[in-house]
Amino acid sequence: MNEVKKIVVVGGGQMGCGIAQVAAQSNFAVLLIDSQEEALARAESNISKSLNKLHEKGKIKEEASTILERISYDKSLKSAVAFAPQMMIEAVSENEALKTKIFFELDSLLPKDCIFCSNTSSISITRLAASTKRPENFMGMHFMNPVPLMPLVEIIEGLGTSKEVSKLVRATAEKMGKTCVLSKDRAGFIINRVLMPMINEAFWALGEELGTAEDIDAGMKLGTNQPMGPLTLADFIGLDTTLSILGVLQESYGEKFRPAPLLRQYVEAGWLGRKSGRGVYEYNS
């Protein structure tokens, strides 16, 4: 395979929407699949709003309506068969059992030369690939949030990933306007291996009342020249996702990644960040 023209994205949440949008903006035909009707409706609405806003600001030249014509939506994984993609990108929640189930089902539906990618931020690519019969055509493709604005894609080769597939995945990400960094297949990869200890330490500091959330965030933002503080960033990522990633890191690397009790308590309370209306901070909607 020399080129990717059609991409299936599985998962209609924030990450799946963003991936579908940037792919369509880059002239790929996209099929976005989510089992929940309301998730698909929300995805279609959010992508339309995002594209219209980008067009109004002069960030994209094409009309939003033209880009939207490249995206189709469906509830069933079986719809991927007729779409005949060259690549599938899984972007569901950070739940290994759910991801494995999706890969196992699609492995029996799609041709063996279709490349499978996971947007996982922490789970072993080699282990996910083992749920399929195409480890050579399996790779990690970790987009940053929000996908339409963040320029980075972290790509991860599994133990069996072929070099040809790795080059094609990189070329596909670059066609989407992204810059790639290549990570070995270790828990958390590069970005979260470095980022999550900082976020976790901010929760330890908050729990110990070292400073207020506002002071911790302002200190890190202004003192280390970051675009947002670690607690604000955690709310943006989702505290449940943050906790899940730290769990994977703790299992692999030990106690230095043990989640702060306050982070775990927030998740137990349903305070998940922006998406739930409350996390470290409160949000209007």
Side-chain angles (χ1 to χ4, degrees), residues 205-237:
L206 183 62
E208 293 166 8
E209 298 183 347
L210 180 64
T212 65
E214 290 80 4
D215 282 344
I216 292 168
D217 271 350
M220 290 303 295
K221 180 179 177 180
L222 302 176
T224 61
N225 198 29
Q226 298 183 42
M228 66 178 75
L231 298 170
T232 300
L233 179 57
D235 271 358
F236 194 83
I237 293 169

Side-chain angles (χ1 to χ4, degrees), residues 61-79:
K61 294 180 179 179
E62 275 192 303
E63 293 285 344
S65 57
T66 303
I67 298 171
L68 288 168
E69 287 176 359
R70 300 189 190 117
I71 307 175
S72 53
Y73 303 84
D74 206 286
K75 287 175 58 180
S76 172
L77 290 176
K78 293 180 180 178
S79 63

